């Protein structure tokens, strides 16, 4: 059997007219196969009758009982109340919308079979708006559990059930081939697993399904993760099929930079640089991710890599996700590169008009050797003469497709080498999944002389103590950050919370020089504020989370973070990484708004207990799930149909080995697995 039978159009199913077809296509369901991969969100158990005495709070159940009394209760919300009894207990049914015929039906002694979600309160068991049918001899019972599908407006559950019924019978007639090597050992074949999850039989263990640990789910999750892994490898192979310039630097610029620095590279920095140098020396594009905790010195590694390319006569592009971070890089790199006679070129969306065309000319002529900027570097109009290396800072905010768009820039010479830096360490297993298309280097050592940041949790009710402490520190010549959190990306431009906080702090801390920085300031204004803070003219910097990444002021040793409960642990860790960069003991105060949820307490305690980005990332994953961790809403990198993380984390090791074997031994199967799970559209969407 081939999978082709299931590839027939969704419109071959009964009931799918043009209107429904369009709606389904919006959900990327265009074939019978795609429909089969649209799995239920949850299930209702209508396979048995539950005695009223055994009804549990919050659980949906079928009940068969006799009407004892019915009455219409007047009031603000007129309602029909029906008391029913099955000999094990009394149940109240409540209807807010009802017709007169319904009231007449509910005569004492009438038998009902009904289904709904039970609430147990002081007044006993109650179901609001149950589905019901007159006559208990014909209860609302089904053979299988009832699937509830994720849906959109205009497609009801009955439609989903009818469509999947048809698709499942096609599946039974022509089951897809099992492509996993050891499929025979599996408890479920692919077709059986799909069938099971659409129609779990009576008696199925819903608990296991809810925990994502049912063997049918594991069977599918394994295959899906495998397909994902294979497509990442495929992407990598496609990129590696391009030619890249061989960079053979004599190390002159690197030596000159290092001789001017007041420190030596750490062992880890040196090791990672060697890995990069050997990649750059190959005629295929480097695809390397450098992971390193905040403050581990990734910027120096990037700078030395850039110098190797510049030394060999090539151009380098350095991109950062935000203007502020790009500007920081511009400043840091200028400090390092100006003495070497290398000028930097700046390009952001805000560079306009004459200045912009001059900049573009500069880049096209090859005159610009290191171009620093934001997403603006991706635009079609930006043409490089000899681009050999692209450095992307904080990659998790860039989509994979953006990365690929940039690679087009190197077309003349093939594809540029790519170096991706991330300060968001992710657990090893997860990185096997997310970065299967990249080689990883880890800077697992901090420069010497750092003192770990001491973190404390303080209730916002004790805010005045904290303000006093900040004032004292500033008057002693120390510097501090006061971070105001924003909830949504869109608020990044709303400066009011930070402005108000700065005003209040100025009133409360006379004599302390207080600066303010947020996303709405112009580049020049931001530059001025950061410059003054760096020079020590500002003692206390009130900021939004724009300072999250890249800001580097070693004398700042105190950070207050307001409403830390709103942020992810990885983000808190990033923020906190702005202090603890010098030799003085540093402190971070998480000024939370009480009451904290149980989970909120656990999460903030992780910050208090650890300064290790990898450990924090593991805990973040455990307490929050991977979507948040990787910012997937932006990249679409980690959305799966069945696979769940961290629930299926234990499968990743095996999946990764399996991918290796299948790619080598059964490339045809690899292709079919990718087609089956990632589909053409999805593959296309990634590029
Ligand atoms: P991150 O990895 O978070 O980007 P940075 O590159 O900003 O870290 O480095 C943090 C600070 O450490 C900077 O002030 C940088 O100059 C300094 N630094 C980098 N490497 C070393 C080293 N080997 N020894 C001492 N300080 C270093
Ligand atoms: Mg950095």
């Amino acid at each position: 059997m081939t999978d082709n039978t299931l590839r027939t159009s969704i419109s071959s199913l009964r009931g799918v007219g043009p209107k429904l077809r369009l709606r389904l296509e919006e959900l990327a369901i265009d074939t019978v196969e795609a429909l089969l991969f649209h799995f239920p969100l949850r299930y209702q158990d209508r396979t048995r009758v539950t005695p009223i005495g055994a009804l549990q709070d919050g659980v949906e159940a079928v009940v068969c009982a006799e009407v004892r009394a019915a009455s219409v209760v007047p009031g603000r919300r007129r309602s029909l109340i029906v008391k029913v009894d099955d000999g094990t207990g009394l149940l109240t049914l409540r209807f807010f919308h009802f017709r007169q015929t319904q009231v007449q039906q509910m005569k004492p002694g009438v038998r009902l079979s009904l289904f709904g979600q039970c609430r147990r309160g002081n007044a006993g068991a109650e179901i609001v708006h149950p589905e019901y049918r007159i006559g208990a001899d014909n209860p609302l019972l089904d053979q299988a559990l009832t699937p509830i599908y994720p849906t959109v407006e205009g497609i009801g559950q009955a439609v989903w059930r009818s469509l999947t019924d048809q698709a499942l019978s096609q599946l039974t007639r022509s089951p897809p081939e099992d492509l996993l090597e050891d499929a025979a050992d599996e408890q479920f074949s692919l077709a059986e697993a799909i069938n099971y999850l659409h129609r779990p039989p009576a008696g199925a263990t819903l608990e296991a399904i809810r925990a994502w640990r049912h063997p049918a789910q594991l069977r599918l999750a394994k295959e899906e993760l495998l397909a994902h892994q294979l497509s990442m490898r495929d992407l990598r192979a496609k990129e590696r099929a391009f030619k890249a310039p061989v960079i053979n630097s004599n190390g002159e610029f690197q030596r000159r930079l290092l001789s001017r620095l007041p420190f030596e590279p750490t062992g880890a920095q040196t090791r990672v640089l060697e890995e990069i140098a050997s990649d750059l020396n190959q005629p295929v594009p480097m695809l390397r991710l450098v992971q390193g905790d905040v403050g581990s010195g990734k910027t120096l590694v990037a700078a030395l890599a850039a110098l190797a390319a510049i030394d060999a006569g090539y151009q380098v592009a350095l991109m950062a996700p935000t203007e502020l971070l790009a500007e920081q890089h511009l400043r840091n790199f200028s400090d390092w590169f100006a003495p070497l006679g290398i000028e930097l070129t700046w390009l952001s969306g805000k560079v306009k008009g004459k200045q912009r065309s001059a900049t573009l000319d500069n880049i096209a002529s090859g005159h610009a050797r290191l171009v620093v900027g934001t997403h603006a570097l991706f635009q079609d109009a930006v043409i490089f003469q000899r681009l050999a290396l692209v450095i992307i800072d904080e990659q998790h905010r860039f989509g994979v497709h953006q990365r690929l768009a940039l690679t087009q820039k190197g077309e003349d010479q093939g594809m540029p080498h790519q170096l991706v830096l991330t300060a968001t360490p992710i657990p090893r297993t997860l990185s096997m999944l997310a970065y299967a298309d990249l080689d990883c280097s880890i800077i697992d050592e901090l420069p010497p002389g750092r003192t770990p940041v001491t973190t404390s949790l303080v209730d916002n009710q004790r805010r005045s103590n904290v303000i006093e402490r900040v004032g004292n520190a500033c008057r002693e010549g120390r510097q501090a950050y006061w971070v105001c959190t924003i909830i949504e990306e869109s608020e990044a431009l709303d400066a009011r919370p930070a402005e108000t906080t700065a005003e209040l702090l100025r009133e409360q801390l006379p004599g302390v020089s207080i600066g303010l920085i947020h996303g709405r300031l112009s580049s020049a204004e931001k530059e001025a504020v950061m410059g003054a803070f760096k020079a020590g003219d500002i003692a206390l910097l009130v900021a939004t989370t724009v300072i999250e990444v890249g800001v580097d002021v070693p004398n700042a040793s105190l950070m207050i973070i307001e409403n830390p409960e709103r942020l992810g642990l990885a983000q808190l860790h990033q923020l906190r990484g702005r202090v603890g960069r010098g030799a003085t003991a540093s402190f971070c105060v998480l000024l939370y708004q009480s009451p904290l949820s149980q989970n909120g307490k656990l999460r903030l305690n992780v910050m208090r207990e650890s300064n290790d980005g990898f450990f924090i990332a593991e805990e973040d994953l455990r307490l929050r799930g991977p979507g948040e961790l990787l910012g997937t809403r932006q990249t679409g990198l980690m959305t799966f149909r069945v696979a769940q993380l961290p629930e299926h984390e234990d499968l990743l090791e095996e999946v990764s080995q399996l991918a290796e074997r299948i790619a080598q031994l059964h490339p045809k199967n690899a292709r079919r697995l990718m087609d089956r799970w990632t589909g053409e559209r999805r593959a296309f969407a990634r590029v």
Side-chain angles (χ1 to χ4, degrees):
M1 278 311 150
T2 66
D3 291 6
N4 291 345
T5 339
L6 298 175
R7 289 277 161 81
T8 44
S9 160
I10 192 80
S11 36
S12 67
L13 299 182
R14 225 179 327 107
V16 182
K19 225 164 123 190
L20 181 55
R21 206 193 68 217
L22 279 178
R23 287 218 170 101
L24 289 168
E25 272 173 9
E26 273 166 31
L27 297 170
I29 298 174
D30 49 0
T31 61
V32 172
E33 182 180 64
L35 175 66
L36 287 170
F37 283 130
H38 183 77
F39 290 103
L41 267 182
R42 61 187 186 88
Y43 307 90
Q44 292 173 343
D45 189 351
R46 297 173 182 240
T47 63
R48 59 206 155 93
V49 175
T50 305
I52 291 173
L55 284 176
Q56 285 171 18
D57 185 47
V59 173
E60 293 171 318
V62 176
V63 171
C64 292
E66 218 175 88
V67 175
R68 285 276 163 270
S71 55
V72 173
V73 181
R76 211 157 47 90
R77 279 204 85 180
R78 213 170 75 98
S79 53
L80 166 63
I81 306 282
V82 182
K83 303 272 184 196
V84 298
D85 178 358
D86 69 353
T88 69
L90 205 61
L91 171 68
T92 306
L93 311 179
R94 191 182 294 270
F95 299 85
F96 294 111
H97 311 280
F98 54 93
R99 275 171 279 119
Q100 199 51 38
T101 47
Q102 275 173 293
V103 181
Q104 283 154 5
Q105 277 175 342
M106 300 293 181
K107 295 207 170 65
V110 164
R111 294 173 66 79
L112 293 181
S113 136
L114 57 99
F115 177 82
Q117 188 182 39
C118 173
R119 288 277 161 236
R120 273 199 178 276
N122 292 338
E126 178 177 290
I127 297 181
V128 176
H129 277 277
E131 285 172 45
Y132 72 95
R133 197 183 288 166
I134 305 284
D137 344 305
N138 182 17
L140 295 158
L141 286 189
D142 287 333
Q143 295 299 323
L145 299 183
T146 311
I148 306 293
Y149 288 91
T151 191
V152 290
E153 214 181 299
I155 311 183
Q157 292 301 326
V159 172
W160 284 114
R161 267 168 239 160
S162 145
L163 296 180
T164 46
D165 270 340
Q166 300 174 59
L168 288 169
S169 67
Q170 279 197 32
L171 177 76
T172 315
R173 280 200 303 277
S174 48
E177 191 179 338
D178 272 297
L179 298 171
L180 296 190
E181 280 182 334
D182 47 0
D185 306 341
E186 300 278 348
Q187 200 177 327
F188 287 84
S189 71
L190 176 64
E192 285 164 353
I194 292 173
N195 197 57
Y196 192 98
L197 289 182
H198 282 283
R199 299 289 181 274
T205 43
L206 277 185
E207 257 158 51
I209 294 182
R210 273 191 219 108
W212 300 96
R213 297 301 299 177
H214 192 280
Q217 287 166 317
L218 296 180
R219 166 70 181 77
L220 293 173
K222 193 159 132 188
E223 188 169 320
E224 180 172 33
L225 291 169
L226 176 64
H228 173 81
Q229 192 90 157
L230 287 167
S231 69
M232 297 287 275
R233 293 175 62 110
D234 191 51
L235 181 70
R236 176 192 163 87
K238 282 199 182 105
E239 285 184 85
R240 301 269 295 184
F242 283 90
K243 275 180 100 91
V246 174
I247 296 176
N248 211 338
S249 147
N250 63 20
E252 180 56 29
F253 277 141
Q254 297 188 339
R255 268 192 300 281
R256 279 169 61 194
L257 171 60
L258 287 172
S259 71
R260 301 177 55 92
L261 291 179
F263 52 75
E264 299 273 303
T266 61
Q269 283 171 319
T270 306
R271 177 174 45 74
V272 170
L273 272 163
E274 279 162 10
E275 289 166 355
I276 293 171
S278 97
D279 284 353
L280 293 180
N281 214 340
Q282 304 293 318
V284 288
M286 165 172 80
L287 298 167
R288 187 165 288 281
L289 173 76
V290 174
Q291 285 194 61
D293 212 340
V294 267
S296 61
K298 292 183 291 294
T299 317
L300 180 64
V301 169
L304 290 168
L307 285 177
I310 293 171
D311 203 13
Y314 290 105
Q315 290 176 296
V316 176
L318 169 64
M319 292 201 311
T322 65
E323 189 117 342
L324 185 74
L325 182 53
E327 282 161 9
Q328 280 279 320
H329 277 313
L330 185 73
R331 216 177 352 260
N332 288 338
F333 277 69
S334 299
D335 289 350
W336 285 344
F337 283 29
L340 308 178
I342 303 171
E343 255 184 59
L344 272 62
T345 302
W346 170 253
L347 184 63
S348 83
K350 289 189 189 148
V351 178
K352 295 244 156 73
K354 276 214 183 94
Q355 201 190 342
R356 183 177 168 82
S357 47
T359 303
L360 293 182
D361 287 348
N362 231 350
I363 297 174
S365 68
H367 189 74
R369 315 194 47 199
L370 176 59
V371 187
V372 181
T374 55
H375 292 75
L377 289 178
F378 287 124
Q379 288 157 5
D380 288 342
V382 188
I383 295 162
F384 288 81
Q385 198 218 10
R386 303 196 75 200
L387 180 63
L389 173 65
V390 176
I391 301 170
I392 302 175
D393 199 0
E394 302 302 334
Q395 179 261 359
H396 62 288
R397 301 181 178 205
F398 283 108
V400 175
H401 56 285
Q402 288 169 306
R403 199 181 88 210
L404 289 181
L406 190 82
T407 61
Q408 319 276 326
K409 303 281 178 207
E411 242 155 32
D412 285 350
Q413 302 97 348
M415 186 170 268
H417 296 285
Q418 297 170 45
L419 183 65
V420 179
L421 310 177
T422 174
T424 308
I426 59 175
R428 201 182 68 85
T429 41
L430 205 55
S431 92
M432 287 195 295
L433 188 70
Y435 299 126
D437 54 338
L438 300 171
D439 294 311
C440 280
S441 293
I442 298 181
I443 308 183
D444 51 4
E445 181 186 351
L446 291 181
R450 299 269 166 89
T451 41
V453 182
T454 308
T455 300
S456 53
L457 270 55
V458 178
D459 189 325
N460 194 33
Q461 288 170 0
R462 287 174 41 220
R463 190 183 182 87
S464 51
N465 295 5
V466 174
I467 294 174
E468 198 183 310
R469 194 172 147 193
V470 170
N472 291 339
C474 290
R475 288 186 203 99
E476 283 165 19
R478 290 162 59 193
Q479 287 176 282
Y481 296 98
W482 190 291
V483 183
C484 306
T485 49
I486 47 172
I487 306 172
E488 284 174 34
E489 218 44 43
S490 60
E491 283 177 275
L493 292 176
D494 183 2
R496 270 169 311 174
E499 273 165 0
T500 328
T501 306
E503 258 166 52
L504 287 173
L505 288 172
R506 280 189 185 118
E507 275 168 29
Q508 284 159 313
L509 295 173
V512 173
S513 73
I514 296 178
L516 171 64
I517 192 164
H518 52 70
R520 227 180 41 197
L521 297 182
S522 72
S523 307
E525 286 168 322
K526 274 187 264 181
E527 180 110 3
V529 176
M530 284 317 296
F533 190 53
K534 222 169 180 165
D537 297 337
I538 290 174
L540 175 60
L541 183 62
V542 178
T544 54
T545 46
V546 293
I547 60 150
E548 179 191 339
V549 281
V551 172
D552 186 28
V553 179
N555 188 50
S557 60
L558 178 58
M559 174 175 284
I560 316 300
I561 305 177
E562 288 206 56
N563 301 101
E565 68 278 0
R566 293 171 176 175
L567 301 180
L569 295 189
Q571 201 181 359
L572 284 172
H573 182 62
Q574 281 292 320
L575 279 169
R576 185 174 61 179
R578 302 306 112 207
V579 293
R581 303 195 144 223
T584 38
S586 294
F587 299 90
C588 174
V589 176
L590 302 177
L591 193 57
Y592 65 86
Q593 192 66 48
S594 56
L596 274 182
S597 69
Q598 190 58 29
N599 189 267
K601 260 183 222 147
L602 287 173
R603 283 158 33 77
L604 293 185
N605 267 320
V606 172
M607 294 304 296
R608 190 165 65 184
E609 280 156 20
S610 176
N611 273 291
D612 174 349
F614 281 89
F615 174 78
I616 291 172
E618 297 267 4
E619 292 299 295
D620 206 11
L621 175 64
R622 205 168 58 77
L623 296 168
R624 238 164 103 110
E628 305 282 350
L629 194 63
L630 288 167
T632 54
R633 255 162 297 152
Q634 286 154 43
T635 61
L637 191 61
M638 306 275 280
T639 44
F640 298 112
R641 298 166 205 233
V642 184
Q644 289 291 320
L645 290 163
E647 286 85 351
H648 296 146
E649 207 183 342
D650 58 325
L651 300 177
L652 290 174
E653 190 85 48
E654 185 193 345
V655 160
S656 165
Q657 289 165 14
L658 213 57
E660 180 90 42
R661 265 207 314 279
I662 294 196
Q664 276 178 13
L665 301 178
H666 310 288
K668 276 204 186 117
N669 285 358
R671 169 62 44 208
R672 288 169 66 189
L673 280 166
M674 283 186 266
D675 286 351
R676 183 183 282 171
W677 285 93
T678 55
E680 270 177 44
R681 188 202 332 268
R682 278 164 66 99
F684 182 68
R686 297 194 67 219
V687 180

